[in-house]
């Protein structure tokens, strides 16, 4: 069977996506933990998960209550310094007074990342550390089935009332006797969301028919998301919270009886970072206050604490006596022994701790890794064939030798599977899959193995043939090639260090800067040197290539595409662009460098320098609204100007209206203002405006698709295809303009600008081959991922993009929109690559196939290496804070790349049909 | 002839290496508290001045210039002024490139500029000594197979090595080791210096190794 390299690459990527999914499933072992519960779910589900039989027998009698009534006030995103710091003194006088007077215990609680509301509520209620996979399911919280406080309280017959974030209601659907959930996803609402909670308070505090009252206030979190922790809105909100706490505390004190005191618990589920978001592990995000306020704490002090003090003191005395009394060698030996025992105890403790915290499903991980590595090997082995001028190769489906090997391998793997699954004491995901699926995966692994072996055999066979033909390999790599190779390898190696992952944006910025400088050098050489270079040189080069071409035609060898481009480069130098174009072309790398420098200071990301001031924060602060409005308007105009040239009239108009819609959407939700608008209008959700834009996005994409289909039917029309692709691209640009925060619109402008300049002045004149172009696109895509303000931490994902134009949370569109907004940079560059390559088809008919293959390869290399690295570093200190978020990003990127490659292949398909016609 | 010239090149280059080592060691005798890391800016100045002085002296002594034309005094003066302007421009250009690479624009301007001066000393100054303010000659030397003498080959190698050294010197900056040499621009300037020294040592050896293949055609 013959396969084109595009098809081959996308099928490889699909298989790889399967491997990544399997690996992720093994790495984030949530299903393993809750598997026993899931079995228990078969029982009548009216109540939350029934406890194991052991638990019931332990608790024959419910212990007597210590407190009569308990009120838990959870303030979302309450940072420790909001209560204990200067803000607390200023805005929360009552709470500060209670803390200082000593009728309370106050702590700084440390929230384990991911510091996102739902995992944090789970953690608070179950006492377990949240898994990273919880972030993904944060948006649709399923009922909590593990043992938890609420369930225990309910079974003990306590009546629980809840007001606040409806995540609780989803987690505990049948536990509350009375509840009123408020939805938390409209971040621009600061007052109503808390008013909905407080309005019940007076009534409930008078009543006597409850034991546990839970209040979850969201306003502070919303303020943080929109304006950050230092905004002037935070103070009044804290004062409001202080008044509420005062009201509750006074009411609880007034109702107190002598025998049983009441308890007020004040806590935050997570803090907020300096930018106001949360999810990561920075100082401000993990430290939250935890206050226990009750009159009970005045009367007795904690016996455990006293015991600890006594023990500490006696320990000290014992050591002192020992040192004074004895000074011989026995003491020294004993000291060493004690030290050793301490160290050993510590070691065992830490290892048992890390094992407890980090449970991995090694078997699934190994299967996933094997699949990914096999795909990578297969891709690497087929590089020479896939990048040949025909971009096609033979895939042997049933050579007799390999069929035997294939069956043997299948059998062996199945045997291993049976042994592993029957012997493993912990449950594993891969074993819990159905037998048919498991066997299918085994067959896939063996088939890939056979493919690799046959590829290796073919290469050996070829190398054994005597070299009759002239050596085609272009002996000297150009500087760009060297840089591309070194950069790819260097980036992959840098993934082993946690700092380099945290600061990955620096790597990409560094690489694209160097790339621009190298391109500048290449341009200089083309402009200055080759012109004065003697003409006979280029003719000799041409002759050389011609002879090679002839030779290879006779012997049926593939000339590398590089050969063609080199030839083109040599011949083109004579008629290289002249006049003013030459100077623009020479200046273009510098303009691109300046653009990149500006973008770099737009969003500071990463960890070490994230706190540095940047334009993004300056623009989003409320004093600079008019500047932001101006910038947004100019950016939108520039986007229109840059996209307009290659669109048809209809989509041009649609684009203009859509961009106007984007501005009015931002004005409606209060990010920007119209020049004629003096007073601040009320803020709405901007549903109408956003849907207005969606209509145009769909319209433009639809027009583009129509053109593409037309170009497939009418074979002669190749310009229709280019226009169609460009229209799809501009539709996506419009969508990105809608979803990007207004201060990020310049990113989009510079993206378009750089693409235009690169195409016109660098790629076209220098005639790079498809592989080089693809890798440059990939690099720029990665850099733009970080220019947008993304990082390798969960905190920078802009969840609000998922709610643009939606009345309430709808799962599929929200996930799609968030993913699109996050990966807009790489995605737009990839689609631009497709546009560029398909316009280059006349020069190199296999360009799209080559591009697709290279893109798949560029994605597979870092993923495969990173997965191996993560497996090796799975007990590393930073595994949860640095390595696993990056793993999630890489995984999602693989899925997105697989989709892109499928699109590439579909476009390539069209082309090949056309050729056959 | 060739062997002797290579020996002269080696001697000159080793002298340069030695002088750089001296700049790191000698000032400590006169100035309490001088260290390369602690008083880095002072070292940058001393190193730049010493290396440029030595280069100019070596150039005058060894007469590496290929075209020893007799020219008038006024012509020499104008040539010298041109060289100064070129040197200053190259400092500005390096500064701009470093800022484009992500160095802060306003903070620590002095550090960045001194680093740019150091880089110019290692690269541009040598070119100016050897080729004069003649852009065409520069372009010729820095294109493939453009060198016309062993001195020009050496120039190519040392320039490439200094710039590569500075490039590699930027790698440890994102690491969170909190070492004194990770402060801007120490790692980069040290990288450039080590690269330059390595280039100085490598150049004669490489030329000696490839002396059969190297055929310098004269115009």
């Amino acid at each position: 069977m013959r396969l084109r390299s595009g098809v081959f690459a996308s099928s490889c990527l699909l298989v790889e996506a399967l491997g990544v999914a399997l690996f992720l499933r093994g790495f984030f072992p949530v299903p393993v933990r809750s598997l026993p519960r899931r079995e228990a779910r078969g029982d009548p589900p009216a109540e939350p998960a029934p406890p194991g039989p052991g638990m019931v027998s332990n608790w024959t009698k419910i212990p007597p209550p210590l407190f009569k009534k308990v009120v838990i006030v959870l303030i979302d995103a309450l940072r420790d310094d909001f209560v204990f710091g200067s803000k607390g003194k200023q805005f929360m006088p009552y709470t500060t007074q209670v803390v200082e007077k000593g009728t309370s215990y106050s702590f700084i609680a440390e929230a384990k990342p991911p510091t996102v509301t739902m995992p944090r509520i789970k953690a608070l209620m179950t006492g377990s550390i949240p898994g990273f996979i919880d972030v993904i399911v944060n948006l649709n919280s399923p009922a909590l089935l593990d043992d938890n406080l609420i369930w225990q309280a309910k079974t003990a017959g306590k009546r629980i009332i809840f007001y606040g974030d409806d995540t609780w209601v989803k987690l505990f659907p049948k536990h509350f006797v009375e509840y009123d959930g408020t939805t938390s996803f409209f971040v621009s609402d600061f007052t109503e969301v808390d008013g909905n909670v407080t309005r019940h308070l007076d009534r409930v505090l008078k009543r006597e028919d409850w034991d546990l009252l839970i209040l979850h206030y969201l306003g502070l979190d919303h303020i943080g998301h929109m304006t950050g922790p230092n905004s002037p809105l935070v103070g009044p909100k804290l004062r409001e919270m202080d008044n509420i706490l005062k009201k509750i505390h006074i009411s609880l004190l007034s109702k107190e009886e002598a025998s049983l005191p009441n308890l007020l618990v004040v806590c935050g589920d997570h803090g907020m970072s300096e930018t106001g978001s949360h999810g990561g592990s920075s100082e401000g995000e993990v430290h939250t206050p935890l206050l226990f306020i009750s009159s009970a704490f005045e009367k007795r002090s904690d016996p455990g604490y006293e015991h600890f003090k006594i023990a500490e003191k006696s320990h000290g005395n014992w050591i002192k006596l020992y040192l004074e009394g004895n000074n011989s060698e026995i003491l020294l030996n004993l000291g060493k022994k004690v030290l050793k025992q301490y160290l050993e105890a510590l070691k065992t403790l830490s290892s048992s701790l890390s094992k407890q915290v980090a449970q991995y499903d090694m078997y699934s991980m190994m299967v996933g890794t094997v699949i990914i590595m096999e795909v990578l090997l297969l891709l690497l082995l087929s590089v020479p064939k896939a990048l040949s001028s025909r971009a096609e190769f033979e895939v042997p489906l049933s050579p007799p030798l390999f069929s035997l090997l294939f069956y043997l391998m299948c059998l062996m793997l199945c045997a291993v599977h049976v042994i592993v699954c029957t012997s493993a004491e912990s449950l594993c995901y891969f074993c819990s899959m159905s037998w048919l699926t498991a066997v299918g995966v085994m067959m896939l692994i063996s088939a890939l193995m056979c493919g690799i072996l046959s590829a290796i055999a073919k290469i050996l066979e070829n190398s054994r043939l005597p070299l009759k033909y002239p050596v085609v390999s272009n002996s000297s790599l150009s500087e760009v090639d060297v840089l591309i190779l070194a950069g790819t390898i260097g980036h992959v190696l840098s993934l082993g260090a946690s700092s380099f992952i945290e600061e990955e944006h620096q790597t990409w910025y560094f690489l694209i800067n160097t790339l621009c400088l190298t391109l500048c050098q290449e341009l200089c050489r083309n402009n200055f040197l080759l012109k004065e270079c003697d003409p006979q040189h280029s003719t000799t080069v041409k002759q050389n290539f011609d002879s090679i071409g002839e030779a290879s035609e006779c012997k049926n060898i593939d000339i590398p595409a590089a050969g063609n481009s080199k030839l083109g480069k040599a011949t083109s130098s004579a008629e290289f662009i002249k006049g003013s174009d030459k100077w623009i072309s020479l200046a273009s790398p510098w303009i691109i460098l300046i653009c990149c420098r500006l973008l770099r200071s737009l969003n500071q990301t990463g960890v070490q320098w994230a706190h540095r001031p940047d334009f993004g924060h300056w623009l989003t602060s409320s004093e600079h609204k008019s500047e932001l409005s101006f910038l947004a308007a100019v950016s939108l105009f520039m986007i229109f100007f840059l996209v307009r040239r290659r669109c048809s009239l209809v989509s041009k108009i649609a684009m203009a209206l859509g961009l106007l819609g984007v501005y009015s959407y931002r004005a409606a939700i209060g990010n920007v203002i119209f020049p004629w608008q003096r007073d601040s209008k009320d803020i709405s959700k901007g549903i109408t405006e956003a849907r207005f834009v969606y209509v145009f996005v769909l319209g433009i994409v639809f027009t583009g698709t129509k053109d593409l289909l037309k170009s497939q039917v009418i074979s002669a029309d190749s310009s229709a295809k280019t226009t169609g692709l460009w229209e799809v691209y501009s539709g996506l640009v419009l969508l990105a303009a809608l979803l990007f925060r207004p201060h990020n619109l310049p990113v989009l402008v510079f993206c378009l600008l750089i693409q235009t300049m690169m195409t016109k002045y660098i790629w076209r004149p220098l005639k790079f081959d498809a592989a080089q172009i693809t890798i440059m696109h990939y690099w720029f895509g990665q850099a733009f991922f970080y220019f947008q303000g993304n990082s390798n931490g969960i905190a920078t994902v802009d969840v609000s993009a998922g709610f643009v134009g939606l009345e309430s949370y709808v799962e599929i569109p929200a996930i799609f929109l968030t993913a699109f907004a996050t990966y807009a940079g790489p995605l737009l560059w990839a689609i631009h690559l497709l546009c560029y390559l398909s316009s280059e088809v006349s020069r190199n008919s296999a360009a799209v196939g080559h591009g697709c293959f290279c893109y798949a390869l560029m994605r597979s290399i870092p993923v495969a290496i990173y997965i191996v690295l993560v497996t090796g570093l799975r007990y590393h200190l930073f595994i949860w804070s640095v390595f696993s978020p990056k793993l999630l990003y890489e995984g999602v990127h693989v899925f997105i790349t697989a989709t892109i490659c499928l699109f590439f292949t579909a476009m390539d398909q069209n082309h090949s049909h056309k050729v056959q016609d | 002839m060739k062997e002797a010239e290579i020996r002269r090149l080696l001697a000159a280059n080793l002298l340069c290496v030695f002088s750089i080592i001296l700049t790191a060691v000698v000032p400590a005798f006169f100035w309490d508290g001088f260290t390369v890391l602690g008083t880095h800016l002072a070292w940058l100045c001393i190193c730049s001045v010493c290396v440029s002085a030595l280069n100019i002296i070596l150039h005058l002594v060894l007469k590496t210039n290929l075209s020893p034309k007799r020219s008038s005094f006024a012509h020499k003066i104008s040539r010298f002024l041109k060289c100064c302007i070129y040197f200053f421009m190259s400092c500005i250009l390096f500064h701009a490139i470093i800022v484009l690479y992500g160095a802060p624009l306003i903070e620590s301007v002095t550090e960045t500029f001194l680093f740019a001066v150091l880089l110019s000393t290692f690269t541009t100054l040598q070119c100016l000594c050897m080729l004069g303010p003649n852009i065409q000659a520069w372009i010729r030397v820095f294109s493939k197979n453009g060198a016309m003498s062993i001195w020009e080959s050496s120039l190519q190698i040392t320039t490439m090595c200094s710039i590569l050294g500075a490039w590699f010197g930027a790698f440890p900056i994102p690491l969170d080791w909190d070492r004194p040499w990770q402060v801007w621009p120490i790692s980069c300037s040290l990288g450039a210096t080590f690269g330059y020294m390595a280039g100085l040592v490598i150049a004669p050896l490489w030329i000696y190794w490839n002396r059969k293949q190297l055929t310098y055609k004269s115009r």
Side-chain angles (χ1 to χ4, degrees), chain A residues 810-837:
Chain A
V810 197
E811 192 173 349
I812 303 291
I815 288 174
F816 170 76
L817 291 176
T818 313
F820 180 81
T822 312
Y823 287 91
L827 203 66
L828 289 179
W829 277 90
I831 306 289
H832 183 267
L833 171 69
L834 183 55
C835 292
Y836 179 79
L837 289 181

Side-chain angles (χ1 to χ4, degrees), chain A residues 569-590:
Chain A
K569 221 184 270 180
T571 47
S572 77
S573 60
E575 18 104 35
F576 195 75
I577 30 170
K578 293 184 177 69
S580 64
D581 262 11
K582 180 178 127 183
W583 294 109
I584 299 176
S585 138
L586 278 178
S588 56
W590 298 97

Side-chain angles (χ1 to χ4, degrees), chain B residues 27-40:
Chain B
F29 295 116
F30 306 107
W31 178 7
D32 266 352
F34 174 89
T35 50
V36 173
L37 298 186
T39 51
H40 189 70

